[in-house]
Amino acid sequence: MISFEESETLKKLQAVVREVAIQRMRPISRYFDEHEGEIPWDYVAFMHEAMKTMGAASLVPQVEGNKVQPPNYVMLAHTIETLSWGDAGIYLCTPRGGLGAAAVEANGTAEQRDKFLGRLSGDKPVFTAMAITEAQAGSENSAIQCRAVFDAQSQEWVLNGEKIFVTAGHKALVDTPGFVVVWATIDPEAGRAGIRSFVIEAGTRGIQVTRQDKKLGIRASDTVTLTLQECRVPANHLLGEVKLAGKASPKGFKGAMQTFNVTRPLVAASALGIARAALDEMTRLLTESGVEIRVGMPRQKMSYVEGEVIDMQRTLRAAWLLTLKAAWLSDEGQPNALEAAMCKLMAGEVVTRVTQKAVEILGPVGYSRTYLLEKWLRDAKINDIYEGTGQINRLVAARLLLGYRGSELR
Amino acid sequence: MYSFQPSPEQHRLIETVRRFAAQELRPAARAADESGEWPSAVIQRGMQLGLTQVGLTDADGDGDSREQTALNGTLAAEVLAYGDLAGALAILMPNLFAVPVAILGSDVQKAEFLADISIGDEAEYTAALIELDWDFDACALKTTAIRDGDHYLLTGVKAYVPAADKARTMLVYAALEGETQAFIVEAEAEGVVVGARQKLLGLNGFPLFGVELKDVRVDKSKRLDGDFGLVWARMQTTWAAMGVGLAQAAFDYARDYAKEREVFGSKVAQKQSIAFMLAEMATEIEAIRLVTWQAAWQAAWQLDEGDIGAGHTAYLAHMGAGELAMRGTDRAVQILGGHGYVREHPVEMWMRNGRAIASLTGLAVV
């Protein structure tokens, strides 16, 4: 069955989230862009309370008693798209979720999900983060050097190393009692087979925020460097099955990579929210200036601006439906690695182009900080980079399409 | 709720059409392109698959919703074009006439024409929409209809009318007081002049003719009356589906070639420049396919539930598929290199055919 029907629940949720975007995000958008490092606490507190009340509409898996309900990813994609339409940087300051939670959800055992995710629905807002990238290992994340050694005597893992580009790392470790999921190798000789992910909670000794980056965009969201020195966590903080814990096995790495199948469509959704914001605002400004955008014209009869607007609408819709399909496959429990990579590569490119074109079409108005278009151009670009650059996602998609292993298509 | 999985019945439909497209339609395509004659036997077998009715009515009467029925037509059109675009157009030709009548026709018109069409294995019904102008626009036609008592008088010059030499009845689109309407015209009517076969960049296996209308008198009961928005939406959606099918054919062919062909000690497909091209093709194909499905779904939904933007979606799908068909087939030629330029492989033909998706919007296989 093929259907594009939006359920009443989804429509209601959309309306509520849109109000949040208009009332709670747009008015503070510029302030937090210009005050990098400050946290939009009013938004954080509001969202924490709102999501608690709304229950199933939360951005994270729901813990009910000792059962964990995975989120509905199609709903989640809609929510993230609309919040990012409001402000993508502030959306990244939405509590209770984040990539750390997604990793626990995707790779944790039932006990681990209960243990780590329960705090997200507590009284105070909590953030989680994921730490993968290192100075010498970006896209090539199997080259990470952060080391985890098992101390048999204390039954603890001991981590040493440095992680960069950790989104919301400050909020997860310093500002709230959250956690960071850190990727480290238990066997540097084993390459990717040696890689595992570990949950490090706020307050753990030996992990420190040592730098906050200044960025092109999404400035409301903190991006930090974490330094780990003799950082000790209990054995059960290694995500996944115990039988894989000790010895090198590619399953652990693959498990960790599977997180991307869930998160890439969500990043794509965020990207497309920014694109829609830019398209809406550009169309509004053009209409106010008396420019009519006619729909349905043969291409050779369109003005340049009309042609560009139609291209924006078209690529945005195409990328959005691809994103929904990737999220829907997650909900259905079907494999979606290909669709996740495809929607992410397309969304990253669409948002980059749409925001740049919007600024271009509006000339000096587009370039002005009086409007948010120039900010969205800056916010957009990260979507072509994080959760796998456009090029990495092409590589992932191409391998799957061609049936090649990593060694066959490098 | 959203769902992106064809039903088991739709899978069976796709498989049936795919088998025909791969085993009969595609093998006949090159000869048809070279000779300019369509492969009658193959086209007739295609028509006998009953695809003309698919998407028009719940043909097997198993109570499919209107949305699923419309999707059936879209799915079938994609797979047919996967075999050969010219052949797909020939097989679906009766729909040029049948779909507008089904959407806008009066009960009398439906009774008179639809029952007859449904089994058609002859090229008896066609439509005349396109005019040979650089700025052709189905919503701003130069062919006119003028009311004259109980009749209309049609005047104008049409281009690219499929099989006009054999057609018995054609649907002629004309501007009535500036608004596009359609009129059922008998080919034998006085003032209908079928011109020469028209030669195009591609689609050589699909015979197209110029038709001139000189004060052709049509009884007022033969007018299709109403808002053609949904007719355009169906037309654009079907074209979009065929663009997707053609691009998919080009992708599959280029992928298989690239995985075979050696260069500098590895396969062509193992080069990132080629692999990335293929990844982009596949991404665009899947994305536009979904917009096309959405357009089909919305158009059917609109009949029952009111406007939710079917026309806009169909337009976006068609714009997307036009570009997709051109770029996808161009890239397939590029990936095959010099071999792609040679008529031994089908990709150069697909590239010529691909341009039609955007250029012949009005060539209404609805």
Side-chain angles (χ1 to χ4, degrees):
Chain A
M1 181 82 148
I2 297 165
S3 175
F4 294 86
E5 186 178 359
E6 296 190 339
S7 66
E8 287 307 312
T9 318
L10 179 59
K11 282 185 197 161
K12 271 187 209 146
L13 174 67
Q14 283 288 85
V16 171
V17 178
R18 187 179 161 82
E19 276 309 297
V20 172
I22 291 169
Q23 308 286 347
R24 304 270 170 178
M25 302 175 95
R26 286 289 176 87
I28 58 172
S29 216
R30 182 57 75 181
Y31 178 90
F32 285 97
D33 182 54
E34 293 185 344
H35 295 78
E36 194 166 14
E38 289 188 29
I39 298 170
W41 282 116
D42 286 352
Y43 169 80
V44 172
F46 172 81
M47 285 303 279
H48 182 66
E49 285 306 315
M51 289 193 295
K52 242 166 81 173
T53 318
M54 287 169 71
S58 160
L59 296 194
V60 291
Q62 295 295 295
V63 185
E64 281 163 18
N66 54 7
K67 269 186 71 183
V68 178
Q69 272 309 104
N72 178 312
Y73 287 108
V74 168
M75 293 262 225
L76 194 47
H78 277 86
T79 303
I80 290 174
E81 193 268 356
T82 304
L83 290 176
S84 301
W85 177 88
D87 186 294
I90 296 170
Y91 146 64
L92 289 168
C93 300
T94 307
R96 291 161 67 99
L99 298 177
V104 173
E105 160 65 20
N107 301 312
T109 61
E111 293 77 30
Q112 287 170 330
R113 292 199 293 262
D114 286 347
K115 178 175 164 61
F116 297 119
L117 298 180
R119 76 194 64 196
L120 301 176
S121 37
D123 288 341
K124 293 245 169 73
V126 168
F127 288 85
T128 71
M130 180 103 116
I132 304 173
T133 305
E134 297 176 9
Q136 82 297 335
S139 292
E140 190 188 2
N141 43 37
S142 58
I144 59 177
Q145 291 169 2
C146 182
R147 186 83 164 89
V149 177
F150 193 62
D151 179 345
Q153 203 180 357
S154 66
Q155 292 290 300
E156 288 173 322
W157 288 97
V158 186
L159 284 88
N160 281 285
E162 188 175 84
K163 292 289 177 183
I164 64 170
F165 298 164
V166 182
T167 300
H170 200 276
K171 287 194 285 294
L173 289 180
V174 180
D175 304 310
T176 70
F179 61 80
V180 178
V181 173
V182 174
W183 286 26
T185 176
I186 58 170
D187 180 0
E189 302 296 308
R192 63 180 49 195
I195 291 170
R196 295 290 179 280
S197 47
F198 299 85
V199 179
I200 303 183
E201 298 172 284
T204 306
R205 282 178 60 178
I207 185 164
Q208 264 197 313
V209 175
T210 46
R211 175 189 154 103
Q212 271 193 271
D213 286 309
K214 297 188 168 71
K215 304 189 297 295
L216 174 66
I218 53 165
R219 291 179 181 167
S221 164
D222 69 85
T223 305
V224 303
T225 298
L226 298 178
T227 304
L228 297 110
Q229 279 178 318
E230 295 294 298
C231 180
R232 288 172 171 268
V233 292
N236 63 358
H237 281 220
L238 185 155
L239 285 178
E241 297 295 332
V242 178
K243 61 177 190 279
L244 286 173
K247 58 178 197 288
S249 151
K251 275 191 182 163
F253 182 77
K254 276 189 182 152
M257 293 302 284
Q258 274 165 12
T259 312
F260 286 128
N261 298 343
V262 170
T263 56
R264 279 177 180 152
L266 301 181
V267 171
S270 176
L272 298 174
I274 304 174
R276 187 164 63 86
L279 183 54
D280 284 357
E281 178 73 346
M282 182 192 68
T283 308
R284 184 182 73 81
L285 289 167
L286 287 172
T287 308
E288 274 181 8
S289 313
V291 178
E292 190 197 354
I293 306 295
R294 299 167 297 175
V295 173
M297 300 290 290
R299 187 173 280 284
Q300 62 270 35
K301 283 177 83 172
M302 292 179 193
S303 70
Y304 168 75
V305 170
E306 283 171 333
E308 287 294 343
V309 173
I310 294 300
D311 282 348
M312 289 173 171
Q313 291 179 351
R314 162 174 74 77
T315 53
L316 180 53
R317 179 78 67 89
W320 174 235
L321 292 178
L322 194 51
T323 300
L324 285 184
K325 182 177 177 185
W328 174 82
L329 287 167
S330 281
D331 287 335
E332 294 289 300
Q334 292 185 41
N336 73 336
L338 176 62
E339 288 79 3
M342 293 199 307
C343 75
K344 169 63 174 63
L345 80 87
M346 188 169 185
E349 202 164 277
V350 166
V351 71
T352 303
R353 186 180 152 82
V354 165
T355 52
Q356 290 178 10
K357 275 286 164 190
V359 167
E360 177 198 307
I361 284 171
L362 290 164
V365 171
Y367 204 70
S368 165
R369 280 205 248 166
T370 305
Y371 301 95
L372 289 168
L373 287 156
E374 65 79 29
K375 175 186 180 294
W376 293 331
L377 180 153
R378 291 184 286 107
D379 289 347
K381 188 58 202 171
I382 192 60
N383 293 286
D384 208 12
I385 298 172
Y386 66 10
E387 292 300 284
T389 62
Q391 288 64 41
I392 285 298
N393 279 299
R394 279 168 173 76
L395 199 55
V396 170
R399 282 175 187 159
L400 290 165
L401 287 161
L402 292 162
Y404 283 149
R405 294 190 302 270
S407 58
E408 292 170 312
L409 180 60
R410 304 174 65 85
Chain B
M1 285 301 291
Y2 281 100
S3 175
F4 298 92
Q5 179 74 42
S7 67
E9 293 79 21
Q10 285 168 336
H11 271 299
R12 276 199 293 279
L13 169 72
I14 291 169
E15 277 321 303
T16 305
V17 182
R18 187 191 306 284
R19 213 173 304 123
F20 169 75
Q23 292 172 5
E24 302 201 49
L25 204 50
R26 190 179 292 185
R30 175 57 79 181
D33 184 68
E34 298 283 338
S35 69
E37 298 295 323
W38 77 20
S40 280
V42 175
I43 299 303
Q44 280 192 19
R45 270 199 299 284
M47 286 180 166
Q48 284 155 3
L49 286 175
L51 298 177
T52 307
Q53 301 100 298
V54 167
L56 196 58
T57 57
D58 179 15
D60 54 6
D62 61 0
D64 277 350
S65 69
R66 213 187 315 230
E67 292 84 57
Q68 297 310 311
T69 304
L71 277 160
N72 291 347
T74 306
L75 297 169
E78 179 189 328
V79 188
L80 273 183
Y82 180 84
D84 175 44
L85 181 61
L89 288 164
I91 289 166
L92 294 176
M93 212 182 75
N95 278 357
L96 285 170
F97 188 93
V99 171
V101 171
I103 293 175
L104 290 176
S106 65
D107 289 344
V108 177
Q109 289 166 341
K110 284 182 194 170
E112 184 176 354
F113 294 105
L114 285 189
D116 188 30
I117 283 173
S118 57
I119 312 294
D121 54 2
E122 295 286 338
E124 291 187 338
Y125 293 92
T126 188
L129 171 60
I130 297 183
E131 296 162 357
L132 207 53
D133 295 305
W134 73 272
D135 61 348
F136 167 74
D137 180 349
C139 297
L141 296 177
K142 291 176 184 164
T143 299
T144 56
I146 294 166
R147 183 77 187 251
D148 179 23
D150 285 343
H151 291 80
Y152 293 97
L153 288 177
L154 306 185
T155 309
V157 182
K158 293 291 182 181
Y160 305 155
V161 183
D165 59 335
K166 295 197 181 105
R168 202 182 66 194
T169 309
M170 59 180 77
L171 197 61
V172 175
Y173 291 84
L176 178 66
E177 291 169 1
E179 201 183 328
T180 298
Q181 299 283 282
F183 302 85
I184 299 166
V185 176
E186 296 305 316
E188 289 178 349
E190 199 179 331
V192 176
V193 182
V194 176
R197 169 90 182 253
Q198 291 175 315
K199 292 181 179 168
L200 284 71
L201 170 65
L203 300 183
N204 295 335
F206 187 50
L208 299 164
F209 296 83
V211 172
E212 192 174 357
L213 303 141
K214 296 177 179 169
D215 286 335
V216 177
R217 288 180 77 79
V218 185
D219 189 87
K220 70 175 186 232
S221 67
K222 299 291 193 249
R223 172 183 165 198
L224 287 193
D225 187 0
D227 177 0
F228 278 71
L230 271 180
V231 173
W232 304 146
R234 282 288 297 267
M235 185 187 294
Q236 289 173 331
T237 304
T238 306
W239 270 109
M242 292 192 292
V244 171
L246 182 59
Q248 184 73 54
F251 169 84
D252 286 359
Y253 200 91
R255 175 201 58 203
D256 293 348
Y257 181 89
K259 286 190 74 173
E260 280 297 313
R261 174 85 180 179
E262 297 270 348
V263 58
F264 301 118
S266 68
K267 303 293 184 190
V268 166
Q270 287 176 281
K271 302 295 175 194
Q272 282 194 352
S273 57
I274 304 298
F276 281 19
M277 239 193 256
L278 288 165
E280 288 163 12
M281 280 166 79
T283 301
E284 288 163 18
I285 290 167
E286 183 61 20
I288 298 297
R289 175 180 291 130
L290 296 177
V291 182
T292 306
W293 288 1
Q294 190 184 36
W297 189 88
Q298 284 182 343
W301 182 264
Q302 184 166 330
L303 288 170
D304 294 330
E305 307 278 335
D307 191 359
I308 50 166
H312 192 172
T313 305
Y315 177 64
L316 296 182
H318 179 255
M319 291 300 271
E323 195 163 308
L324 175 68
M326 201 61 248
R327 191 167 48 222
T329 52
D330 174 78
R331 282 181 167 182
V333 170
Q334 188 67 25
I335 288 170
L336 267 72
H339 293 281
Y341 202 72
V342 171
R343 299 222 293 277
E344 190 186 329
H345 290 280
V347 289
E348 65 77 31
M349 177 175 71
W350 292 342
M351 182 177 164
R352 288 184 285 109
N353 290 350
R355 183 60 234 173
I357 303 289
S359 291
L360 301 189
T361 323
L363 186 59
V365 172
V366 264

